Structures are given as structure tokens and as C-alpha cells.
Amino acid sequence: MSSEFDLAFFHDNDFHRQICPKCGRAFWSQGLHPSCGESPCEEYSFINNSPIKRAYSNHEMREEYLSFFEENGHGRVGRYPIVARWRDDVFFTQASIYDFQPWVLNGVVEPPANPLTISQTCVRFNDIDNVGRTGRHYTFFEMLAHHAFNKPGKEIYFKDRTVELCHRFYTERLGVQKEKMRYIEEWWEGGGNSGPCVEVILEGVELATLVFMQYRETPQGRVPMDMTVVDTGYGLERATWISQGTPSAYEAVFGPVVQSIQKAVGIQPDQRILEEYSKVAGAMNMKTAADVRDLRQRTADRLGISYEELLANVGPMENIYVICDHSRALAFMLNDGVVPSNVREGYFARMLVRRALRSMRALDLKMPLADIVAMQIDYFSPHFPELVENREDIMNLVKVEEQRYYETLDRGRSIVQRMTKDLKGAPITVEKLIELYDSHGLNPEIVKEFSDVPVEIPDNFYMQVAKRHEATEVVAERDKEEEFPQNMPETKMSYYDDPEVMAFEARVSAVINGAVVLEHTYFYPEGGGQEPDYGTMNGIEVKNVQKVRNTILHYLDGEHSISEGDIVVCAINESRRRQLMRHHTAAHIINGSARTMLGNHIWQTGAHKSVDEARLDVTHYENLSEEQREQLERRCNEVVLEDHPVQIKFMPRDEAEAQFGFRLYQGGVVPGRIIRVVNTTGVDVEACGGLHCDRTSRVGPIRILRTKRIQDGVVRIEYSAGLAAVSGMQSDKACVDALADKLNVNRETVLPAAIKLLADMKEDRKRLEALTARLNDNMAEALLARAVLVDGVRVVVYRVDEGEDPQALSLSLTSKPGVVAVLGVASKSPKLFVSRSADLTLDCRPVLKEIMKLVGGGGGGKPEFAQGGGGDPSKLPGALEKAPEIVRAALSRK
């Protein structure tokens, strides 16, 4: 027996250690059992016979758990967002321990409570193809947990207390007979850590996993951690399910929503079939669609019914379960800032929307997906008030994405048919299916419906797709760090002490690769999207400033004689510095104003602040309209005039998160225990290292220059502020004044005068085009009258004069039957056009090439029209003389 599991709690409470005869694993229990109790060693035995004292709703079970652990000395902690914005290695929070990685586990910050208890909303996509089919899989779930973080000299509790609390919760609080609880010995590894763990089993279901994180996995082997961690995870949905004893977990968790959809489509399945189906599923290790087919056949055989009869009962319910799971996941994901798109976090939201809509289509459910998401919000909002606060925003995002899905279906048939035509009867491969899904949003089932060639849908299609998109693109520090030694002297960043200092003296602490390092500096280095300060050092131009780790490097223009120990006199380019500060502060104003105007799904995804212009990239599902741009610009300038103070202070990370939430991390993950918080009061709060104006009024005017959709789900807002905005306004005014002068009107009437001028020009252009067409027709008639007849084909050879349009003339000539037109343009670089009537099969390209050989040029085009150029202009007349014979030769080769 491993000492890792030889717990005093087990021995003191008459637990027996047994070996499962089916899987060979060891487990502990106060009763004797024929197996460990986990799938596939044992079927569910709680359906219609719950071992828990009463039926709990999801909300009641959550509160029962959290209050139990509060009563046992744990601090209750609110959920963290589903999007793990404090980490750059994952998109989503997939377990409660993610909330405390890496900062708490690394000892950078203290946990919000120790010990603590939490109900953490999570999403995982590794089992997405099994959702709805097994009775127990979800993409979205709540992980109940209690955690303890043990440091040397400050032990909270570890294995014995963890198992004791778990056992007491189920037996004392929920009324489970103590003999029914089983605890399987296991080992856990993840994220570079490892330790023993205990799987908690009740009547065929794994209710919880109790992990004792105590080792680090290193290239040299396993070493003990300084901090040992109690990392538990309890399935809220599973506990709720067992308490109700329903056929599947979905009825227990989504009861009212399941019933509403059943009523809408008129489905009333045989409960006995659902119960047996769930029991068989519980005893199987479900991984693929082949397993699902096996499950269905086993259940049909057990019930003595046909496969088809079983499928008629469970098939529609599986689609209902998918809709329920995905709609709940969407409500929380969209609430927490995900915008459906084809990249990053948004990809998974779009996947959920389209899978839900596919299931609704299969049921012929005549109801918008947004209505079902609204049901989920109504059901969960009493316990998650943020869903009510963001309800309108969530609903709008779902409606937009649903509309896009149906637009995809409208064009999907032609997309699939074009692809199958190119395949010439060959089947559509998995790669092509994924390409159609990724590029066009077409579910494989839709492709199969629209296709006239074989389509084999892989059992785990959505798992494959999700896996391809799970990896984050972690942006590492530039390789420049490797160019510099690790022991460089650190620089005191005095620009944070007083950004108004524009001249100073400092001692040189080092000169590294030609760059000057000062003991302290007021020069701001490039970072956070803000360009660096320029200025002078001992009169030499400072042309770049970079930060490598905690060292500021000043790059000077040309050679210099500055050396270590020198005292240097520095001056910062004040006008540049102030303009960069205005643009950086304006970015925060625009971000906060856009969020207020467009919805809480607005998050910054990138930014750049230069002197003349700046840009801010935000998450949004479509480009802004002209009206929205004007509204945003007006609101930003109202913020400027309202003169909000910009408060900047360094704060412990945990205090900042507690006060301002995870909206802090607009610019991405911020490292360290202390973070710099920029609070544009009443507008925006961000963890930011940039330099800012101390009040919004000092930003000056803000102009929204343009917006554009740079990728799916991301809109770029380009803007200017302060003197750059003033310069732009002055330039616009000068342009309007010059235009008014040219039009001989005053400034106020420039627009109607310009509109009238454009209308007049349009009419003149129409008349000119009509005259030109008539002239070309007349010219064509004249040329056809003297055309050379070659094998019954009229060959027109003509040297086009200046001012004539060779392409329009070619069109006029070849609109008549039986015509080949060869038109040359004499110029410094001669041009040639060869075209033919639609009734001829002559390929114009070889003709063009033969003639251009004589000139010395080349060209190409289409069989009916080819053009070329280049060569010696003096040779063009001679080449045109030979054109009829070249056409004759081409016609004879046909």
C-alpha cells in the first residue's frame, strides 16, 4: 500500500482498503463493495432511487456546498471569468485551480482566502461530441471546490482534513449513507505539477476529485514543491443529478428549459428507455460515435426493442440536451466578453451557436436561439445577476451570429456543389470538411445534405476542430533579450514618479552594445503600444529607448564617447512626450466609451500610439456605421470636457482585482505582484504601464478618423487627439476653403455645390460615353468595310490614333459575327490588342504572341481577347502588316 494514501482519517473511521476485481485499482470505503464503483466497472444505481436525502436544484446544491465549507472555516470566493484573462497560455477557465495559477501557486500574491471555497464556471471542449449523448457530459459546467495553500510554517490542512470534509459533506450534509461512499487511489499530473489524488465515487458516478499537489515535474525528476496545494473539484451538475435521480443530468440541471423545448416540438419520450439508456452509458467509457452506436444497440437489446425504436426516443432528446448545454454556455461566455468569430475564444462561441442551430434544425424547432438563451438567463440570473446586467448585449450577439449562420446556409449549397464538382466524384475528406467548417461555417451534416458525393463524418469531428484551435499564441518577449547579459544594472524608472520632468541629470551605470544605461531615467521606453521618447543626451540625439527586463537602454545617433560613471545631461522632446501621453489617455477614453455605447463585449485586443495618429483594436462583431462613429467621437469629447481625473497608482495584484475586477487586463496579461492601475474615473480602469495626462481635459479634442474590421470579431478604431487632432481639423478647413474658392461659393454651400457638380459631371459622362460608342460604331463600320477576308473571316488590322480607345473599338468590331480585330497602339512602349467574335473558336493568344515577337514584346490573356506590349515601337507598323498572314496560319491550325 502506498504511504500517499495511508491516511489517519481512513484508519480512525473504520475504512477498508479493497482492490477492484475489474480494473485492479485500490479504493477505500466503510462498506464492502464488489467493485470500485466507477464507470465502466459499475452501472448507475441512483436513477429513481437517490441516495441523497432530498432533491436539490442546481442553485440549492451550490448553496448547500458553499455554506457547508463556510461553516467549516473557508472563505467564500466569487467566480472568476470564463475567459482566463490573467493567463496567456489558455483561453478558458477549465478548473477552479486556474483562478490561482500562476500567481498564487508561484507565491507572487496571497489567495483571496485561505482556505477558500468557490463555485467556478468552466468550459471544456475536449468531450464536445459526447455532449447530449451520455447523460453526463457538458461543455459548460460549474466546478465546486475547496482549496488550501500550505506554505512552510503556515500549514492550513492537507490530505486527512480534505477527505474528512468531503466525506462529511456527502454523509452529514446531504444524508448519504456513509457505507456507500468510495474513494479510489489515483495519481494526478498537470501543468508541470503532480501528486496523489482521490476519486470520490457514489453509485457509479465520480462526484469529485481530491488532488494533493505536492511535486514539481522537472527534467531532473520529481521534486517536492515549497507550497503544497489542496486542489479539489466537485461536479455541481452531477451532485444535483444524483439528488434528483432523473434519467440524465440534463433534466436535473435544465429542467424548465428541457420541458419548454419538448413542449415546443411535441416530444414525449418513453422514460423507461431514457433511464436504461443512461444506465448503460454510465457503464461505458464513451469516446467516439462508434461507442454511441454500441451504447444504443446494447440498450435496445436490453429493452427488447429495435434500434430504430430506441433512436426515435433518444435521438430528439439528445438534440434538446445539446441545445440546453450550448445555450447556457453561450450565456456565460458572451457575458464574460467573448465575441463569436473565427479566431481565438470567439471560435468556440461560434462553434456552440452553429451546433445548437444544427440541433434545432434537426428538431424543426421554430424558435430563435436567442429565445432559448433568454430562458437560461432567466433561470440562472437570480444567482448570477451579471447575466441580467448584460442581457441585452448577450441577446444581440446571439441574434447577430444566428443571422450569419442562416446567411451561411443560403450560400452553403453552391459552395459545397462547387467543391464536389472539382472533386469529380471523389469523397470529401476530413480536411475538406474542416476547411468548409473553418472558412465557411458549414457543419459537416449540412455539407452531407448539400453534397452529391460521399461524405464520411468522423466520429469526433468537433473534438478535432476544437483541438486545432485550443492553442493560444503566446507572444513572447522579443529575441532582443537574448542579446543582452542577465546581470545588467537595473534602471530606476523615474518617469513614473513624475512624468512632467523633461530635463534631468543622471549617472551612467553601463554602456551595453552601444546603448547607454542610466541609474535612473525619465525617458519612457517603447512599450504597451506607446512609442518611445526622443530627446538629447549631452547634446547627442536619443533616437530610441527600449526596456529589456528591468534595464532601460538609450540608443544615441552615431558614435559617442559617453562611458560608465559619466554624469550626463538629458532633455526629453516635450512636444512629442505630451502628444504620446494624449494619445495613450485617449485610447482609454475611447475604450471605455465604446464599451458603454456598444456593450460589455468590448475588450481591447491591440493598440499603437504614435505622434500623428493612434489606433485601438477592440472586440466587436461588425464595423461601426458612420452614425456610430460620430456618436463615439461625441461621447469621447464629452469625457474630455467633463474633466475626469486620471488616477494612477501601484497596487497589489489581488487588491486591484478585488476592487476593479478582471477588466483591468485590457492589454493582456500583466506580470508581477504589484501592478500599475490607471483609473480614468467613471470611464475606464486598466492595468497599464503607459504615461498619461492627469485629467481628461488635457487630452484635447479627439477625432475618430476611420474604423475598419481588420479580422472577424475585431474592429480597428483609428484616431488622433490633442494637437494632432487640431492639425487635422485645420487641414480639413483649408481643404474646404480651397474647394469653396474653386467652386466660387461660400464654405456653408460647398457640399450642395459639390453634389450638383458631381451630378452634372455624371450626366456629361453619360453623354460622352454615348457619343464615343456611336463614334466607335461608325469607326467599326468603316474598318469592316475594308477588312481583309481570310478563309471567310474578316480580319481588321488598325493602328489606333491618340485619343481613341482600343478596347472599346475592339468590342464594337467583335460584336459583329466572323471578325478578328488586331489593333496596335504606337507609343514609347507599343501595345497590341487581339480579339475575335464569339462565334469563332480562334485562340487569340498565339496570334498575339506571334505578332509581338516581331516587335520584341510579349503578352497574354484569354482565348477571346489578348493584349500585350513592349518592344521596339518602330517595328509595330511592319508587324501589323503581317498580321493577316499570322491570323491565316492560326485559322489553318485550328
Side-chain angles (χ1 to χ4, degrees):
M1 176 176 60
S2 169
S3 61
E4 301 281 10
F5 302 98
D6 192 17
L7 306 185
F9 175 76
F10 287 150
H11 292 291
D12 294 345
N13 290 277
D14 299 324
F15 277 77
H16 308 283
R17 186 175 188 267
Q18 299 173 244
I19 302 298
C20 178
K22 297 181 180 179
C23 68
R25 293 189 296 173
F27 66 96
W28 296 79
S29 178
Q30 290 171 300
L32 297 175
H33 300 277
S35 78
C36 66
E38 188 179 18
S39 165
C41 297
E42 196 168 301
E43 282 190 5
Y44 300 148
S45 55
F46 63 88
I47 294 176
N48 286 330
N49 185 29
S50 173
I52 294 174
K53 64 183 179 183
R54 71 174 182 86
Y56 287 83
S57 70
N58 228 38
H59 307 312
E60 291 170 336
M61 183 63 76
R62 183 192 306 111
E63 182 57 35
E64 196 77 82
Y65 179 91
L66 295 174
S67 61
F68 172 83
F69 281 93
E70 276 187 310
E71 292 164 14
N72 282 275
H74 293 65
R76 184 186 296 208
V77 175
R79 79 177 183 100
Y80 284 52
I82 282 177
V83 182
R85 299 192 183 276
W86 56 96
R87 293 178 59 172
D88 59 9
D89 58 330
V90 294
F91 290 137
F92 300 111
T93 308
Q94 299 185 26
S96 58
I97 197 64
Y98 279 37
D99 302 343
F100 315 110
Q101 294 171 322
W103 312 114
V104 173
L105 267 62
N106 288 350
V108 173
V109 299
E110 292 297 318
N114 197 11
L116 62 84
T117 186
I118 189 171
S119 181
Q120 177 58 48
T121 50
C122 303
V123 286
R124 293 181 187 173
F125 296 91
N126 56 318
D127 285 322
I128 189 168
D129 288 293
N130 284 334
V131 170
R133 293 171 166 177
T134 63
R136 66 181 186 274
H137 282 100
Y138 297 90
T139 53
F140 173 97
F141 61 96
E142 285 185 64
M143 181 177 283
L144 301 169
H146 56 104
H147 295 285
F149 305 92
N150 301 292
K151 294 181 180 180
K154 192 179 179 181
E155 302 292 330
I156 307 301
Y157 65 78
F158 207 41
K159 297 176 185 176
D160 279 285
R161 177 67 169 161
T162 301
V163 179
E164 176 202 346
L165 287 167
C166 176
H167 194 67
R168 285 180 51 212
F169 171 68
Y170 285 114
T171 58
E172 296 176 13
R173 196 65 164 230
L174 299 187
V176 177
Q177 293 178 19
K178 61 183 182 180
E179 294 82 8
K180 291 190 174 185
M181 301 297 299
R182 282 170 268 189
Y183 299 90
I184 301 175
E185 296 178 3
E186 264 295 353
W187 187 263
W188 173 90
E189 290 185 8
N193 301 112
S194 64
C197 74
V198 173
E199 293 180 358
V200 183
I201 310 298
L202 176 62
E203 300 205 345
V205 177
E206 182 184 344
L207 282 177
T209 302
L210 314 178
V211 173
F212 306 109
M213 197 186 297
Q214 60 189 98
Y215 301 106
R216 284 189 298 110
E217 300 292 331
T218 72
Q220 292 73 38
R222 184 173 295 157
V223 296
M225 293 170 58
D226 294 331
M227 176 191 290
T228 60
V229 181
V230 172
D231 173 18
T232 68
Y234 294 64
L236 169 63
E237 288 82 3
R238 291 188 180 185
T240 301
W241 177 25
I242 291 179
S243 78
Q244 295 186 24
T246 53
S248 81
Y250 307 109
E251 280 93 359
V253 174
F254 303 116
V257 184
V258 169
Q259 292 160 15
S260 295
I261 298 175
Q262 281 185 255
K263 185 177 179 181
V265 293
I267 291 173
Q268 198 60 47
D270 187 322
Q271 290 297 301
R272 185 175 65 96
I273 292 177
L274 293 181
E275 289 168 8
E276 291 303 314
Y277 186 78
S278 188
K279 288 178 182 178
V280 177
M284 293 179 64
N285 188 8
M286 307 289 293
K287 289 186 177 179
T288 69
D291 294 329
V292 174
R293 289 190 289 271
D294 185 29
L295 159 65
R296 289 170 177 168
Q297 190 61 60
R298 287 192 195 186
T299 309
D301 292 344
R302 176 187 287 200
L303 290 167
I305 61 176
S306 69
Y307 186 97
E308 291 70 27
E309 184 181 348
L310 179 122
L311 192 59
N313 274 271
V314 302
M317 292 306 297
E318 287 176 354
N319 280 313
I320 290 174
Y321 300 152
V322 166
I323 295 165
C324 288
D325 170 84
H326 291 5
S327 58
R328 177 177 66 158
L330 282 167
F332 281 89
M333 288 172 70
L334 303 184
N335 177 82
D336 288 2
V338 178
V339 174
S341 70
N342 60 8
V343 294
R344 293 179 60 84
E345 301 94 339
Y347 184 90
F348 295 90
R350 175 164 290 171
M351 178 192 291
L352 293 178
V353 168
R354 298 194 169 187
R355 288 190 90 241
L357 289 170
R358 183 203 74 190
S359 288
M360 292 172 67
R361 194 165 177 261
L363 290 170
D364 196 25
L365 177 58
K366 306 298 185 184
M367 179 187 297
L369 177 58
D371 287 0
I372 300 172
V373 173
M375 291 183 203
Q376 300 284 18
I377 292 173
D378 291 342
Y379 184 54
F380 285 93
S381 60
H383 306 273
F384 299 94
E386 63 269 31
L387 295 179
V388 178
E389 179 185 343
N390 294 322
R391 181 190 181 101
E392 184 178 347
D393 197 24
I394 296 167
M395 300 293 285
N396 190 42
L397 287 167
V398 176
K399 289 173 183 176
V400 167
E401 194 60 24
E402 186 168 4
Q403 179 61 34
R404 287 180 176 170
Y405 174 74
Y406 288 117
E407 290 170 0
T408 296
L409 283 189
D410 288 342
R411 66 177 186 274
R413 188 180 299 276
S414 61
I415 291 170
V416 173
Q417 289 178 348
R418 279 199 305 272
M419 175 177 280
T420 54
K421 184 179 179 182
D422 293 340
L423 292 172
K424 298 178 180 178
I428 295 178
T429 63
V430 173
E431 285 299 318
K432 287 291 183 183
L433 279 178
I434 293 176
E435 178 188 328
L436 286 167
Y437 184 81
D438 275 354
S439 302
H440 304 287
L442 293 171
N443 300 93
E445 295 82 4
I446 297 297
V447 175
K448 188 170 186 176
E449 179 183 329
F450 289 163
S451 174
D452 52 9
V453 300
V455 177
E456 281 296 324
I457 302 172
D459 293 343
N460 60 343
F461 176 81
Y462 289 100
M463 293 181 194
Q464 287 189 42
V465 169
K467 190 171 183 179
R468 292 187 182 208
H469 291 265
E470 279 176 346
T472 63
E473 296 177 6
V474 178
V475 181
E477 273 295 300
R478 291 187 294 175
D479 294 338
K480 66 180 183 183
E481 291 199 7
E482 298 179 5
E483 302 171 11
F484 296 92
Q486 291 291 324
N487 59 347
M488 291 190 299
E490 294 187 3
T491 308
K492 184 179 187 301
M493 293 171 265
S494 299
Y495 46 79
Y496 284 147
D497 298 334
D498 189 352
E500 294 297 317
V501 173
M502 301 296 168
F504 65 98
E505 292 184 355
R507 184 182 299 275
V508 177
S509 56
V511 178
I512 301 171
N513 296 352
V516 178
V517 179
L518 304 177
E519 289 181 351
H520 76 102
T521 188
Y522 287 90
F523 278 98
Y524 181 80
E526 182 178 20
Q530 180 174 321
E531 292 186 354
D533 285 335
Y534 294 165
T536 61
M537 182 182 295
N538 281 0
I540 306 170
E541 183 181 350
V542 177
K543 63 179 184 179
N544 195 2
V545 186
Q546 295 291 322
K547 182 173 180 281
V548 175
R549 295 184 287 275
N550 291 316
T551 302
I552 310 296
L553 299 151
H554 305 76
Y555 291 88
L556 277 56
D557 188 20
E559 297 294 327
H560 64 82
S561 58
I562 296 173
S563 59
E564 183 178 340
D566 288 354
I567 303 295
V568 292
V569 177
C570 303
I572 294 169
N573 182 326
E574 183 173 353
S575 61
R576 175 183 174 84
R577 157 72 71 81
R578 293 200 183 282
Q579 188 57 33
L580 291 171
M581 290 167 69
R582 293 184 187 108
H583 274 153
H584 206 144
T585 310
H588 290 220
I589 294 171
I590 293 169
N591 193 35
S593 299
R595 183 164 56 250
T596 299
M597 189 180 101
L598 300 171
N600 276 332
H601 64 275
I602 297 290
W603 285 78
Q604 176 183 322
T605 64
H608 183 79
K609 302 96 181 177
S610 63
V611 172
D612 298 325
E613 282 191 16
R615 68 172 184 264
L616 178 71
D617 299 338
V618 298
T619 51
H620 191 50
Y621 49 83
E622 63 184 0
N623 192 14
L624 274 60
S625 66
E626 185 63 36
E627 181 182 357
Q628 287 174 320
R629 285 193 288 272
E630 290 177 1
Q631 183 184 350
L632 178 60
E633 183 178 79
R634 183 177 184 85
R635 177 56 199 148
C636 290
N637 283 288
E638 286 173 352
V639 171
V640 169
L641 294 172
E642 289 163 1
D643 194 24
H644 297 253
V646 179
Q647 299 171 348
I648 303 174
K649 61 179 177 179
F650 288 90
M651 299 180 67
R653 174 186 292 275
D654 46 356
E655 289 182 19
E657 290 177 352
Q659 184 173 349
F660 300 113
F662 293 93
R663 281 275 174 198
L664 283 166
Y665 304 126
Q666 290 291 316
V669 175
V670 181
R673 185 177 66 85
I674 303 296
I675 61 177
R676 185 169 179 265
V677 177
V678 177
N679 183 3
T680 311
T681 53
V683 180
D684 181 73
V685 185
E686 301 182 23
C688 177
L691 299 186
H692 294 270
C693 304
D694 59 358
R695 304 191 70 85
T696 60
S697 59
R698 299 188 67 180
V699 172
I702 297 174
R703 300 185 77 205
I704 305 298
L705 303 175
R706 64 196 71 87
T707 64
K708 56 187 175 184
R709 190 166 171 256
I710 60 169
Q711 69 179 52
D712 196 18
V714 177
V715 171
R716 173 163 292 169
I717 302 170
E718 297 179 5
Y719 66 94
S720 62
L723 291 176
V726 172
S727 295
M729 288 186 280
Q730 289 176 330
S731 177
D732 290 350
K733 179 180 178 297
C735 180
V736 172
D737 287 345
L739 189 58
D741 186 54
K742 293 289 184 184
L743 294 174
N744 198 26
V745 296
N746 58 42
R747 188 190 306 156
E748 289 71 23
T749 58
V750 162
L751 183 58
I755 291 172
K756 183 178 183 305
L757 178 62
L758 288 171
D760 291 344
M761 289 173 63
K762 191 174 181 180
E763 287 300 317
D764 289 344
R765 190 180 297 113
K766 285 181 180 177
R767 285 193 290 270
L768 180 61
E769 287 172 353
L771 288 172
T772 302
R774 195 176 305 161
L775 181 63
N776 282 331
D777 286 343
N778 291 338
M779 175 70 75
E781 290 297 331
L783 291 173
L784 285 169
R786 58 175 190 263
V788 178
L789 197 63
V790 176
D791 295 341
V793 174
R794 290 179 291 175
V795 179
V796 175
V797 180
Y798 178 65
R799 183 174 167 182
V800 178
D801 292 332
E802 187 177 348
E804 295 177 333
D805 185 345
Q807 295 193 49
L809 184 55
S810 292
L811 187 62
S812 293
L813 287 165
T814 56
S815 64
K816 309 292 192 294
V819 176
V820 174
V822 180
L823 307 182
V825 180
S827 62
K828 282 187 178 181
S829 179
K831 296 177 183 176
L832 188 72
F833 300 86
V834 180
S835 58
R836 49 91 168 162
S837 304
D839 63 321
L840 300 179
T841 58
L842 174 72
D843 190 340
C844 295
R845 292 171 294 185
V847 175
L848 175 94
K849 289 180 180 178
E850 287 297 319
I851 299 172
M852 287 309 295
K853 276 184 188 178
L854 302 174
V855 182
K862 298 179 180 180
E864 67 276 12
F865 181 83
Q867 58 183 331
D872 187 346
S874 66
K875 294 181 179 179
L876 182 64
L880 290 175
E881 286 181 12
K882 296 180 179 178
E885 289 306 315
I886 293 172
V887 172
R888 185 189 303 278
L891 288 169
S892 66
R893 288 196 299 269
K894 238 173 352 93

